[in-house]
Structure formats: structure tokens, C-alpha cells
């Protein structure tokens, strides 16, 4: 089973779930310690009410890791109390990230999220991020890999996965395209998705 998942932020505004034939959605909630996506609730409420697979993410800026984790959790706490829980994700990329290169930062953030929520967050990153964070996170965190073999619109049918995943034994999801929207395949069925969300 493969789930088709889109990734949205405020750039997509009040996104209507299902617009690209996806099964579910991951929505950006926060960045750093002073930004909340104003469209997050609109998207999240659709996923919750329709019982769709969904996730919620925090974009690392590389300030204090525990402070960023606390900010993330304080803004998404209510979502963890619904029946259709999201998978939590840390977006670990180089842009606007002062801690880029530090796998320890990512580990500290994810450990703090687990301490505060009881849930294990996964990580969204590409090749360089896999190499940075794999020694610290590969045994606990799900990997959502970002890699784009082509800039063309390939629908939901990318070429076979061409990347290495370092220390991880399992690839949970692959964001393979940003054209015309960020699209990922997750190698799960909904029950498996829900198990990660509850973990």
C-alpha cells in the first residue's frame, strides 16, 4: 500500500484537501519560536473531520532546540487530543537554519517533543540531512526523504527511488516533486500511518 500525501504551508493558503487526488496531507504549523501558519487550522480540520492520514510539521531555524520544540508543542497540543492524530515532523533543511550540520540539534528537538507529548516525531530532510542526523535519529524517527529526480510534473508516478538513506533501514516517505505542489509517497497503509501517529 502507498499513500499519496501533499505538503502545504501558508503559501497554499486555505488549501482544499484532495485538490491533487491525494490521500492525505502534512501541514506546516510553526517555524522557529515566533511563527505560526495562519492557514494550519483550516487544513488540519479537514483531515481530522474526513479521517484522512495527516501530519503536522515544524521548520527548524536553529535557535535553542528545546525552545523551538516547546513552541511547536504549545501550538499543536490540541491536535494530539483528537481521535485522528497526526504524525509529528521536524523539517530539517539548510535554508534559514542556523544549526544546519548539527544532528545533535535535531535529536534534542525530537527528544523534547517526545518528553512533552509522549509521541515520537519523524524527520523530513534530504541527502545532507540524512548524513547529519542518521547517527542520532535513525533507530527512533521515521524518515521522510526530500529528493527530486526531475523538475517535471510526473503526476503521482516518480521514477524508482535513486538515493541512499544512510543509517535508516526503512524509508517511510519520499517527497519526489514540488511541481505543481509538494507531493510525497508514503510506503504505508492508513493503519500503519496511525500506528506511527500514536507512537
Amino acid at each position: 500500500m502507498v499513500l499519496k500525501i501533499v505538503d502545504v504551508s501558508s503559501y497554499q493558503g486555505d488549501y482544499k484537501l484532495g485538490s491533487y487526488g491525494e490521500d492525505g496531507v502534512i501541514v506546516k504549523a510553526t517555524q522557529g519560536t515566533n511563527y505560526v501558519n495562519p492557514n494550519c487550522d483550516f487544513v488540519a480540520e479537514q483531515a481530522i473531520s474526513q479521517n484522512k492520514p495527516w501530519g503536522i510539521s515544524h521548520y527548524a531555524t536553529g535557535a535553542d532546540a528545546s525552545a523551538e520544540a516547546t513552541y511547536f508543542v504549545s501550538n499543536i497540543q490540541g491536535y494530539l487530543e483528537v481521535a485522528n492524530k497526526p504524525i509529528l515532523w521536524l523539517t530539517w533543511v539548510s535554508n534559514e537554519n542556523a544549526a544546519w550540520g548539527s544532528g545533535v540539534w535535531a535529536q534534542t528537538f525530537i527528544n523534547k517533543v517526545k518528553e512533552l507529548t509522549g509521541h515520537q516525531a519523524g524527520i523530513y530532510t534530504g541527502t545532507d540531512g540524512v548524513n547529519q542526523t542518521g547517527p542520532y535519529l535513525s533507530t527512533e524517527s521515521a524518515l521522510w526523504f526530500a529528493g527530486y529526480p526531475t523538475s517535471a510534473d510526473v503526476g503521482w508516478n516518480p521514477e524508482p527511488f535513486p538515493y541512499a538513506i544512510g543509517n535508516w533501514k526503512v524509508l517511510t516517505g519520499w517527497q519526489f516533486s514540488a511541481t505543481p505542489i509538494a507531493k510525497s509517497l508514503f510506503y504505508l497503509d492508513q493503519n500503519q500511518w496511525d500506528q506511527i501517529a500514536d507512537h
Side-chain angles (χ1 to χ4, degrees):
M1 179 73 181
V2 175
L3 294 171
K4 301 171 184 175
I5 304 292
V6 297
D7 176 22
V8 300
S9 65
S10 60
Y11 183 80
Q12 284 76 31
D14 284 346
Y15 180 79
K16 184 178 178 183
L17 185 55
S19 294
Y20 288 88
E22 69 271 13
D23 300 305
V25 64
I26 297 170
V27 57
K28 177 181 177 178
T30 54
Q31 180 170 336
T33 57
N34 58 13
Y35 175 80
V36 176
N37 174 9
N39 308 98
C40 182
D41 282 342
F42 182 87
V43 178
E45 291 300 331
Q46 294 175 74
I48 293 166
S49 64
Q50 297 174 32
N51 198 36
K52 298 289 189 181
W54 75 292
I56 196 161
S57 66
H58 173 83
Y59 191 105
T61 62
D64 180 84
S66 293
E68 289 201 29
T70 301
Y71 184 75
F72 174 52
V73 170
S74 69
N75 280 283
I76 59 98
Q77 190 72 51
Y79 298 132
L80 304 181
E81 298 170 5
V82 301
N84 180 24
K85 293 180 176 61
I87 298 178
L88 309 180
W89 296 99
L90 170 64
T91 297
W92 185 250
V93 295
S94 60
N95 190 42
E96 299 181 33
N97 182 0
W100 179 247
S102 174
V104 171
W105 193 102
Q107 181 186 43
T108 301
F109 175 95
I110 284 176
N111 286 349
K112 185 65 174 181
V113 168
K114 187 162 189 178
E115 174 191 323
L116 294 172
T117 67
H119 294 284
Q120 180 69 45
I123 188 162
Y124 165 89
T125 196
T127 297
D128 290 343
V130 160
N131 293 334
Q132 294 167 21
T133 62
Y136 305 98
L137 295 173
S138 60
T139 59
E140 298 292 336
S141 292
L143 174 61
W144 173 24
F145 189 96
Y148 313 107
T150 176
S151 60
D153 183 358
V154 295
W156 289 100
N157 299 292
E159 64 180 65
F161 185 78
Y163 305 100
I165 59 172
N167 295 68
W168 271 270
K169 292 183 172 63
V170 176
L171 174 65
T172 300
W174 174 28
Q175 187 175 105
F176 62 87
S177 177
T179 308
I181 195 168
K183 292 180 289 188
S184 300
L185 297 178
F186 277 80
Y187 308 103
L188 306 166
D189 59 27
Q190 181 149 2
N191 285 335
Q192 292 168 322
W193 182 282
D194 292 343
Q195 286 171 9
I196 294 175
D198 284 332
H199 175 56

